[in-house]
Amino acid sequence: MNNLFIFSPLGQFEVTSLIGFNAPLFGYIQISLTNLALYTLFILSIVVGLHYFANNENKLIPNKWSIALESSFASLNTMVREQIGSHNEIYLPFVYSLFFFILVGNLISNVPYSFAVTASGVVALGLSLTIFIGVTILSLSIHGVKFFSFFIPAGTPLGLVPLLALIELVSYLARAVSLGVRLFANIVAGHTLLKILSTYLYKLFTANLLIAVITLIPFAIFLALIGLELAVSLIQAFVFTLLVCSYLRDAIELH
């Protein structure tokens, strides 16, 4: 059970095995349930359950969950439509699912002693690389060989074509990790700071009465940082999906 709880600043980002056993299949195979897999299933269960309870098909008066999800859907639909254009309906389910997975994962990671799924390099970079490959395949399927014109800006002098093409290629390949690194870095930095501050505040509160009273001032600042981290959870989910939409637009329109 100790693997379910995190006690060090960086321990919340460590993938550990919770349950495992060896099976004599295909020679030898080890099957285990990690905290990453457990919390991922937990996130998926919350997302599916939230949409199930917010289902308003058989209700005359919508509940608060239904109103919240409909508002979220309307906001995401507007963003996708503005970013992608006329083909937005095709990509809206993907963007919508991606947003809620990242958002719920970010929010769950703010619970004390939980595991930060979106701060895992496997998840963050895995999402980034998968989206990059998918967007590239989509662009190649739409434009074919014309896709490579994306790396040569219009009006570029012939002598600068090799240099600018190389720069654009490196910039494009950086997308494979930039999405994941942005999400990973923000969540890791915020959670590490909160963990360190909470540890010091706990020691101050348990010192003596005078120090505990004085500590109420930095504790108020700590509460404000928790609110900021909750806002960052929402902002990072929105920024991630916004950038995905911009990549899809570039793949479709080649600019």
Side-chain angles (χ1 to χ4, degrees):
M1 291 296 293
N2 290 334
N3 290 331
L4 287 173
F5 301 100
I6 308 302
F7 297 99
S8 66
L10 298 179
Q12 57 189 317
F13 315 118
E14 181 182 355
V15 178
T16 58
S17 177
L18 303 177
I19 302 173
F21 64 93
N22 300 325
L25 301 175
F26 305 105
Y28 177 82
I29 186 173
Q30 182 179 10
I31 302 174
S32 63
L33 175 66
T34 63
N35 52 357
L36 174 59
L38 178 63
Y39 277 91
T40 301
L41 293 174
F42 189 39
I43 292 170
L44 293 176
S45 300
I46 291 179
V47 173
V48 173
L50 180 62
H51 285 77
Y52 175 79
F53 287 111
N55 186 4
N56 196 42
E57 293 182 356
N58 300 322
K59 299 177 182 178
L60 181 62
I61 301 177
N63 55 40
K64 59 182 180 180
W65 295 110
S66 177
I67 295 174
L69 287 179
E70 288 177 2
S71 300
S72 301
F73 178 84
S75 299
L76 290 172
N77 185 33
T78 301
M79 180 191 71
V80 174
R81 184 172 61 252
E82 291 177 351
Q83 289 292 322
I84 300 178
S86 58
H87 300 283
N88 65 86
E89 295 87 357
I90 302 175
Y91 308 103
L92 180 58
F94 167 69
V95 174
Y96 183 84
S97 302
L98 184 64
F99 172 81
F100 272 96
F101 176 80
I102 296 175
L103 176 61
V104 175
N106 288 347
L107 292 176
I108 288 179
S109 65
N110 289 288
V111 177
Y113 305 113
S114 66
F115 178 75
V117 171
T118 49
S120 171
V122 174
V123 175
L125 295 179
L127 283 174
S128 181
L129 182 60
T130 303
I131 292 170
F132 171 78
I133 294 174
V135 168
T136 303
I137 294 174
L138 173 65
S139 186
L140 284 170
S141 65
I142 295 175
H143 303 286
V145 180
K146 189 181 177 182
F147 162 76
F148 296 99
S149 65
F150 181 78
F151 305 108
I152 305 175
T156 303
L158 185 61
L160 294 178
V161 167
L163 177 61
L164 289 181
L166 179 61
I167 294 175
E168 290 294 330
L169 178 61
V170 173
S171 176
Y172 183 78
L173 293 177
R175 295 182 176 185
V177 296
S178 62
L179 277 176
V181 168
R182 181 181 290 104
L183 178 62
F184 172 85
N186 280 278
I187 301 301
V188 167
H191 286 29
T192 302
L193 176 62
L194 291 180
K195 177 62 179 178
I196 294 173
L197 290 177
S198 64
T199 301
Y200 281 110
L201 287 173
Y202 174 77
K203 292 181 179 179
L204 291 174
F205 272 124
T206 55
N208 58 62
L209 182 60
L210 177 61
I211 295 179
V213 173
I214 298 175
T215 307
L216 291 175
I217 298 176
F219 180 71
I221 300 175
F222 176 74
L223 293 179
L225 289 176
I226 293 177
L228 178 62
E229 191 65 19
L230 292 174
V232 168
S233 299
L234 174 61
I235 293 171
Q236 286 303 313
F238 180 79
V239 169
F240 194 98
T241 51
L242 179 63
L243 290 175
V244 169
C245 289
S246 68
Y247 293 167
L248 288 170
R249 180 191 59 204
D250 290 342
I252 296 171
E253 300 178 2
L254 278 185
H255 67 75

